[in-house]
Amino acid sequence: MQNRILILTNDPAEANALKELLGKFINGPFEVEWLTRLDAGIIRLHEGNIDAIIVDLLLEDSSGIDTFDQLQAAAPHTPIITLNEAEDEALALEASLRGAQAHLSKGHFAGSLVPQTLRSIIQRKSVEEAFYTEKARAEIALNSISDAVICTDISGNIDYLNIAAENITGWSREEARGHPVNEVFKIVDGISHKPPAQNPVHLVLKNNEPTSLNAGTLLIRRDGTQVSIEDSTSPIHDWNGKLTGVVIVFHDVSVAQAMAKKMAYSAQHDFLTDLPNRALLNDRISQAITLAKRHGKQLAVLFLDLDNFKHINDSLGHATGDKLLQSVTQRLRHCVRSSDTVSRQGGDEFVILLTESKFAVDATFIADKIITELTLPHSIGASELHITTSIGISIYPEDGEDADSLVKNADTAMYHAKANGRNNYQFFSNEMNVRAVERQFIETHLRVALENQEFILYYQPKTNLTTGEITGAEALLRWDHPEWGIVMPQRFISVAEDCGLIVAIGNWALREACLQVKKWQDLGLSTITIAVNISAIEFRQNSFVQRVRTALMETGLSPKYLQLEITESVLMHDAATSVAILNELKSMGVQLAMDDFGTGYSSLSYLKQFPIDVLKIDQSFVHDIRSATDKGIIVSAVVGMANSLELSVVAEGVENHTQLTFLKKLKCKEGQGYFFSQPVIAEQFSSLLKMDITPWRCNFSEKTPSILFSNKIFNLDRGNINEHH
Ligand code: C2E
Ligand code: MG
Ligand code: MG
């Protein structure tokens, strides 16, 4: 590559001599430009592309060291060689002190020495420049990264900090330089707060190998505050591979750590109540089991489900529901020791782990306390809300050896508490588990039963107790399972209610019953009413009234022949809504019966509000009648009350003549029970309807019951899934 040289001298002989010398240099000639004035030279330098300057410090417009200074200012990175009188050594020295690369004595240019020197000066300068550019680039890079970088020398004294390191340590580079690394990079263990046995820098200097800090290390800044850091420390080697120092690269992890902590917390806690969630509870139970095993102790798991919470949520809104859950949380926390865990499983379900419980008595004590505390009114906004809870309890190790089975069994026991009238607690027993498995089994089979047309309706007559005539029929559901045979409703109705299938099944039963009675009417067999049982779940469905209307319309049955049987407890739960639904049904023209009357604690005032046509006295009261002279106080009271409200009364479960006689005396008008007939299939019921005189008429005055079709039906009724699978 050709180099361009600017010669500044007002001595033409000198200039020509140089030109000649440089022009024929064997390694490629130099391009030479000659100017005589400093100002022209400076202008030329500004244009660029000059690789070296040879200057006679005595020019037309400038002289002495000032000429040198001006040139250097104009081209600071261009090498300058001065041209002096041989005797003017002082000036040459002055220039070289200020950065002149070499000097030539006028008239003494020796052969190829000048061009060679010039070339090597130019080369050295460009290497230097490249080096500086690289260094500057490295410096900029180090200062622009967010990681802090500290370098030390071979003795572990600081010789470099980038800006991030200055910010994080609180030391400036200048202040830190030369200080032992321990003073600037002061670290302690996050837990013990003690400095490490050896600063990582010393470790690297000793082992000549990279290392990194333990997780959780804290850096103590210059002002004494602390920050969590993560680092890696590595040796620095020179060209020959010799260890010359150490570099520490580290960064602040406090934010990341705080974030990770927060995320770990929310993964284990419930956002609404801040209670441990299912995952954390399971962990705690597992830990508690390990400890209990070691110390031979017991644990208790309490599974709580608030009673009728859904109703509060639906009627008062989710915001109120949420506040109530928070209030419940406070009460629950209050009821247990700090070593116990209250967790929320979701919805209105809570699980409490009682550690250190020596006896089941502890659990009883806490369960009692919870039931009492929760019952006290909860002030939510302006209103006071009331809530109760049902609790299931399982005990380690009797009821399960791991977290899952303890929670599952407590859950099962909770269902029993619900079935037991809510607002109480139940301990788990193995028998419950068998039932839970059975329920699961039934649910699986129920899901296909409707599609496979496995349901049938049986019909049981209702009888006029004076004349013995059939006054109506109650449709009773049976499940004719291909393997198990006939399955009775007690076995599957509540399962169907729990999994929601009851709506489809109930709808089928309603249509089927309407269809059957319409058929009997069309055959001219009867004008009796058909009573269909309605489950709580169906009754509360928004679409229920419409579904009844559709069933009547599609089957063509007149509404007055349909009687809906709804149990007393269903109607009593949220009586106001019940009244509204009943009124709608009533206005459609269907009849309404209150089933299992006497078991749901109706008050007379409610009875008056319900637009009911019929009261069905629960079997249990009829069973209590033992002799014709029995006082049968309840039955008497109920019949009396019904008569005074002008409702018709049907006595359920009439099994013998004594009961019949007693009921007749009370002027109870209708009865239903095995004494007259078992529930029978449609064809058999048709035969009954076709008879002029019902078979039981002749027995009205005898003491032995006469049961129509009894053997056959009885076998069917004993269909029991336990026997069949
Ligand atoms: P429920 O409505 O009170 O029906 C009367 C129950 O008493 C029937 O039991 C019937 O077979 C039985 N029974 C009748 N006479 C006597 C008697 O003299 N002695 C005794 N010990 N029992 C008698 P079943 O058919 O097992 O039905 C049980 C319950 O299942 C019904 O009680 C009703 O609540 C429910 N159920 C039946 N069919 C349906 C339905 O289609 N839908 C709904 N949701 N529930 C139904
Ligand atoms: Mg009924
Ligand atoms: Mg009943």
Side-chain angles (χ1 to χ4, degrees), residues 123-142:
Q123 270 169 5
R124 196 177 67 219
K125 195 76 187 173
S126 83
V127 168
E128 247 171 44
E129 204 161 281
F131 173 74
Y132 278 115
T133 313
E134 204 151 290
K135 199 171 164 211
R137 197 178 291 159
E139 177 83 36
I140 290 169
L142 281 175

Side-chain angles (χ1 to χ4, degrees), residues 474 476 533 565 595-596 616 652:
E474 177 174 9
L476 293 160
N533 291 286
E565 287 193 10
D595 206 353
D596 302 345
K616 294 190 80 176
E652 289 189 75

Side-chain angles (χ1 to χ4, degrees), residues 460 474 477-478 489-490 533 595-596 619 652 655 673-674 679:
Q460 189 180 34
E474 177 174 9
L477 189 62
R478 302 289 181 265
Q490 284 98 326
N533 291 286
D595 206 353
D596 302 345
Q619 298 187 5
E652 289 189 75
E655 288 183 353
Y674 298 164

Side-chain angles (χ1 to χ4, degrees), residues 650-669:
V650 179
E652 289 189 75
V654 183
E655 288 183 353
N656 57 46
H657 197 261
T658 312
Q659 293 162 346
L660 171 66
T661 313
F662 189 87
L663 290 163
K664 276 166 92 171
K665 259 198 207 155
L666 287 177
K667 303 217 164 18
C668 175
K669 297 203 182 74

Side-chain angles (χ1 to χ4, degrees), residues 25 59 93 128 142 175 242 298 317 352 382 427 429 451 461 490 552 594 647 673-674 681 690:
F25 180 52
L59 293 177
L93 192 66
E128 247 171 44
L142 281 175
E175 287 169 320
K242 205 177 120 210
Q298 287 189 315
I352 298 177
F427 276 91
S429 72
E451 211 173 295
Q490 284 98 326
L552 287 169
M594 187 185 267
L647 296 174
Y674 298 164
I681 56 171
K690 281 178 195 155

Side-chain angles (χ1 to χ4, degrees), residues 136-199:
R137 197 178 291 159
E139 177 83 36
I140 290 169
L142 281 175
N143 280 334
S144 61
I145 58 173
S146 59
D147 277 359
V149 178
I150 294 180
C151 298
T152 75
D153 59 18
I154 187 77
S155 327
N157 293 329
I158 303 291
D159 62 12
Y160 176 81
L161 267 78
N162 71 348
I163 291 179
E166 290 185 326
N167 291 340
I168 192 168
T169 59
W171 286 79
S172 77
R173 189 188 304 179
E174 272 62 46
E175 287 169 320
R177 189 169 282 139
H179 280 268
V181 67
N182 278 341
E183 285 178 23
V184 177
F185 187 66
K186 212 190 250 182
I187 48 174
V188 293
D189 183 82
I191 296 166
S192 69
H193 281 263
K194 285 193 183 130
Q198 227 169 0
N199 189 294

Side-chain angles (χ1 to χ4, degrees), residues 460-643:
Q460 189 180 34
K462 281 188 280 181
T463 304
N464 179 317
L465 296 187
T466 321
T467 64
E469 278 169 330
I470 297 176
T471 55
E474 177 174 9
L476 293 160
L477 189 62
R478 302 289 181 265
W479 177 11
D480 190 3
H481 189 276
E483 288 164 41
W484 309 332
I486 297 287
V487 185
M488 300 303 280
Q490 284 98 326
R491 284 234 178 261
F492 65 88
I493 293 275
S494 69
V495 180
E497 284 178 332
D498 284 350
C499 66
L501 282 170
I502 191 65
V503 176
I505 297 174
N507 207 31
W508 175 86
L510 178 67
R511 288 176 55 95
E512 180 68 16
C514 293
L515 216 56
Q516 186 57 62
V517 179
K518 183 75 173 67
K519 237 185 248 171
W520 286 330
Q521 288 181 358
D522 291 348
L523 289 170
L525 282 179
S526 84
T527 50
I528 59 161
T529 57
I530 181 81
V532 180
N533 291 286
I534 303 300
S535 132
I537 310 279
E538 291 173 88
F539 184 69
R540 300 254 170 242
Q541 286 251 316
N542 286 336
S543 52
F544 178 61
V545 176
Q546 185 51 42
R547 240 180 293 139
V548 174
R549 198 173 281 132
T550 311
L552 287 169
M553 227 170 60
E554 288 180 5
T555 57
L557 183 71
S558 160
K560 65 178 177 194
Y561 296 113
L562 176 64
Q563 193 174 92
L564 300 178
E565 287 193 10
I566 303 148
T567 62
E568 184 188 11
S569 52
V570 169
L571 293 180
M572 282 311 295
H573 169 68
D574 191 4
T577 314
S578 297
V579 170
I581 303 173
L582 291 177
N583 277 329
E584 241 184 296
L585 290 166
K586 189 79 211 152
S587 67
M588 205 190 291
V590 299
Q591 293 187 36
L592 301 170
M594 187 185 267
D595 206 353
D596 302 345
F597 180 71
T599 57
Y601 315 105
S602 297
S603 68
L604 203 58
S605 62
Y606 274 124
L607 269 186
K608 275 188 194 156
Q609 279 184 45
F610 292 138
I612 296 284
D613 303 286
V614 179
L615 279 188
K616 294 190 80 176
I617 304 174
D618 193 63
Q619 298 187 5
S620 54
F621 303 114
V622 178
H623 283 187
D624 286 347
I625 305 171
R626 284 187 202 92
S627 69
T629 52
D630 189 289
K631 291 198 183 90
I633 296 172
I634 301 178
V635 187
S636 319
V638 171
V639 175
M641 186 160 85
N643 284 340

